Amino acid sequence: MENSFVIQELVKQIDRLGKEVIWPAAIEADEEEKFDRKLFSQLGEIGLLGMVGAEEYGGSNLNYSDYVSVLERLAYYSLPYAVTASVSIMVQKMIEDAGSEAQKKQYLEKLISGEMIGSFALSESHSGSDAAALKTTAKKVSGGFELQGSKMWITSGGLSGVYVVMARTGEKEISAFLVPDGAPGFTLGKKEKKMGWKLSPTRELIFQNCFVSETQLLGKVGEGFKLALSALNKGRVTIGAVAVGLSQMALDLSLAFSKERKQFNTLLNQFQGIQFMLADMATETYAARALVMQAAQALGNPQSSLSQKNASALTALCSMAKLKATDVGMQVTTDAVQIHGGVGYTSEYHVERLMRDAKALQIVEGTNQIQRMVIARNL
Ligand code: CAA
């Protein structure tokens, strides 16, 4: 009961920010690639960034199903802010689950309050889908490790205060490091010019003799790849939730448009061809939401038979949620542009941006082909 009140209040706050701040600025922010840092801090102030965070660091310790329902609402107004939040929260949870007390003290409060953003750095230019083939190395030196190499397509690169960097500590051994912004030998590479998600910067990270103190090793030496894959289970469910929010907005815009636009002297919503499209968009969005919610419930409940007894069934379910919801996101936003016709192809009506934003969701946190591979392996 208490939780549902907290969730309702959070959704109210997101609706307020969405209607007053995010949506009116969405077209310009996309065109000018303008990330509003103050707005992101407000997401911390209202409690969104700490929803699943530990109470002793300012979090609310709610479960994943509550979290995804609020994240979906943020994505309804802005996919890029929702993705920034979801990746930063993924980093926060990695530190909470695997970090030392000192690391938790150093980072969690800041990530939960929104004072700091976190990035997840696994991919490299030659290892996207085959993540284990990464080449960045971390050599043991006195007092810590020295990182050499580079990371690609890093969400929030340049905005973040901490980067979880997966690097090779041995031929068959990958470890995770918390690399603070400004670490010696750490520089930012080029900012990518992207099709969508324009206000969220995606950058290369470069490590040249980058010294990281041994206090910044996350978990144990050699645990990095498993930590990353286990974090991705959660990340994939949240990406699914983000896709559902995006689909819902595309559907709502299309419904509203079909009630106003006339052709052949008839409102669009009176044509069965349009009605069938809207019916499919709504059905698929509902189905995606249900699957995301089921995965979130399995993640968020330690008593769940799925998460306790069968880790591989949980991994498959998380991948299914990501696969289904992001494929639906692509289809629904494409149909939204089609329903809008010519104006749908212009920026003024928003749906072209939603369609561009949707495409990235089929690629990030493991392409949808990788999700199918993970599902098949775990069947
Ligand atoms: N949780 C914990 N451990 C796991 C796991 C999981 N979900 N999945 C696998 N593991 C373990 C395995 O049990 C295995 O352990 P052992 O060595 O002890 O047997 C180990 O991890 C390696 O697993 P695999 O043998 O399955 O590894 P693989 O190399 O064959 O394939 C893969 C793994 C699934 C293809 C993986 O590389 C993958 O997911 N690739 C996609 C990469 C990806 O998702 N990138 C996302 C980039 S981040 C991003 O996009 C975020 C952003 O900023 C938007």
Side-chain angles (χ1 to χ4, degrees), residues 83 87 90 120 122-123 128-132 153-155 197 225-227 229-233 236 239 311 315 363-367 370-371 373-374 377:
V83 168
V87 173
M90 180 165 83
F120 180 82
L122 175 66
S123 306
S129 289
D130 186 6
W153 311 297
I154 305 308
T155 301
W197 293 27
F225 195 59
K226 282 191 195 176
L227 279 179
L229 289 184
S230 146
L232 280 169
N233 272 2
R236 286 168 182 166
I239 290 293
T315 296
I363 298 170
V364 294
E365 305 223 355
T367 64
I370 288 292
Q371 306 310 324
M373 197 172 109
V374 170
R377 277 186 185 184

Side-chain angles (χ1 to χ4, degrees), residues 198-209:
K198 283 178 177 280
L199 68 81
S200 150
T202 305
R203 296 191 87 123
E204 182 186 12
L205 314 179
I206 300 168
F207 305 100
Q208 284 170 313
N209 307 323

